[in-house]
Amino acid sequence: MCGPLFITTVSSPFFDLSIFPGILRLSVKYYSNYIISEQRHCECGLNLRPKCANTEPTEKWKKDSLYINKGGKLRHFNHKKVSRKKGGSLRGSGWKYGSGFVDGVFPVLSPIAQEILNFVQKEEDVSRIWYSLDTLPPTNTTWDDLISIAVRLRLNKKWDPITVLCEWMSQRSTFKPDVICYNLLIEAHGQKLRFKKAESIYLDLIEARCIPTQDTYALLVKAYCKCGKMEHAEAVFAEMRRNGFPPSTIVYNAYIDGLMKARKSQHALAVYQKMKRENCVPNVETYTLLINLYGKENKSYMALEVFQEMRASKCKPNICTYTALVNACARDGLCEKAEEIFEQLQEAGLEPDVYAYNALMEAYSRAGFPYGAAEIFSLMQQMGCEPDRASYNIMLDAYGRAGLHKGAQAVFDEMHRLGIEPTMKSHMLLISAYSRAGDVSRCEEIVRRMRESGIKPDTFVLNAMMNLYGRLGHLGKMEEVMAAMEGGGGCGPDISTYNVAINAYGRAGFVERMEEVFASIAAKNLTADAVTWTSRLGAYSRKKQYVRCIKIFEEMIDSGCYPDSGTARVLLSACSSEEQVEQVTNVIRTIHRYKGEHTAGSIDDRTEPSKVTGRVI
């Protein structure tokens, strides 16, 4: 017969947090438990049951299986599907690049972890935070709490506290940092545009003989892309191969996403083609990124082709894919097609969320059907989906586009009534609504109220006011706004600012002043875009100065700026004979053919665009 076995364990270790300002003072208490051997119905004939020192039976401990989902609701997860090995809370394969935890799951923080989280977010003195963290016991529970805190901060995009916390874990604590800690640091530095620090963390990871994951390389690629270091991002692929890692879909997706955010869409498409050549299979995120890319370029037909390719490859679309496709159709004002995709979303067993409803509302808004957008808005509420600030902004835009400034004002007032704080974009959309009606005084009143309420008008708002003044011929007021922006007292001008001025001067017939503004763009470290060149062309096109238009067009191509559909229309309007129409048509077709062949086929294209016009004109 086995005798009593006494085991001293530490349960509920509380430590002194008196050094944390504002944190509940807790003293150190240790409760000793022991195991008493009693008879039990089993093979050995004994009954083993744990008892406390006071011999009172304890309740069976139940694992905490609660977590908060993205909607803020409590949910349960299956412990058998979540690895808690190595003392980690949802660690190892649990933390994933792009989501925090698998499927966005993150556990409810313990009371102590919540207090530490609050302290780390409020305290600005790094040395004080580190000194406070030094008092934490070096246990698996502490590590779990710290990782959970870091991921919670990540989900809230609190990058500086993440850096402080993870650097303490890696540099000062007795813990040995793992790849999760390094990944969090790489991402935090990347988000703060500190690519050198992100690079240094990666080297520390290698020096510590910690094996990097595909997520590590993906985060490093995104850090470089966010800082505009595309050549460094490209070098990451060579680094992966050197370390025996073939570039994966995750890393390619990170690169494509970074290029898209840097507005290098053609480069992103070239990377996608390279990805396929290397037999790297695209996943649902890859296809969704491409659909978004084509949608933003108003090429819904290409987005639909990608969707068909996705289905043909047996890759199942998710709700983000369907939403991206609805958005692509919305940007082209294809209401019926957007509705069809929305129905396919529901037929696939997916429940539309606020983003899907917003995308469908946007389709009606862009097509000029504000009441259709209002019906979707009402349907969303009836289905129990709460509209967000973006929903109200879409309704503002829908009424404004249709010239219904009273409807736009009603939506704006409703936002105030519901306690939804209008954003800068909300004010800009309301200004646009009254601008279409030519109501200058009302627009000026909105800007004045913005300033009174502490909202400083940004470049977009001031550009909208410039456009209003220029369109109505109030060139003096337009110049006042532009001078104020150039004066450096507030928001600086961007290329759109000068596009507005060039267009206004061109329409008013002040060609010399227009050319002066155009010539000043290069000195301001700005690059003329297709709208700039097209606005300049428009001034001469209205006077049927075809030869002058062709010369400006050649300058445009030589500068590396490719024409869009607006450029083609302006050039055609300058033609006064069928021969000129045919010549312009051939030029535009050749340019677009050249662009398609050289941007999709090679990442690094150095052929001079001027050679194209040289063959045609």
Side-chain angles (χ1 to χ4, degrees), residues 83 85-86 88-96 178-180 215:
S83 171
K85 294 179 182 179
K86 302 181 183 178
S89 59
L90 296 176
R91 295 181 60 235
S93 62
W95 187 87
K96 286 190 63 90
D178 60 4
V179 68
I180 301 174
D215 298 332

Side-chain angles (χ1 to χ4, degrees), residues 12 16 114 161 176 192 248 344 451 455 499 569 590:
S12 303
D16 188 6
Q114 187 63 55
K176 183 178 180 180
K192 299 297 288 186
S248 68
Q344 290 179 20
R451 290 196 171 101
I455 301 175
N499 289 349
R569 286 194 297 269
T590 306

Side-chain angles (χ1 to χ4, degrees), residues 320-366:
C320 296
T321 312
Y322 284 108
T323 303
L325 195 56
V326 174
N327 266 320
C329 296
R331 286 189 175 93
D332 286 343
L334 304 177
C335 293
E336 292 183 2
K337 195 64 183 178
E339 278 186 355
E340 181 183 329
I341 301 300
F342 191 85
E343 289 175 3
Q344 290 179 20
L345 180 156
Q346 294 172 304
E347 290 169 0
L350 300 170
E351 183 179 351
D353 57 10
V354 66
Y355 303 104
Y357 282 113
N358 285 351
L360 190 57
M361 286 166 56
E362 186 76 23
Y364 282 101
S365 172
R366 298 237 177 181

Side-chain angles (χ1 to χ4, degrees), residues 131-147:
Y131 179 72
S132 301
L133 294 174
D134 287 341
T135 64
L136 299 175
T139 63
N140 286 338
T141 301
T142 301
W143 177 266
D144 288 355
D145 283 341
L146 293 176
I147 289 294

Side-chain angles (χ1 to χ4, degrees), residues 285-301:
E285 184 184 354
T286 315
Y287 288 116
T288 304
L289 284 169
L290 289 176
I291 290 171
N292 268 321
L293 185 152
Y294 284 121
K296 290 177 180 178
E297 292 192 339
N298 296 100
K299 295 179 180 178
S300 56
Y301 61 95

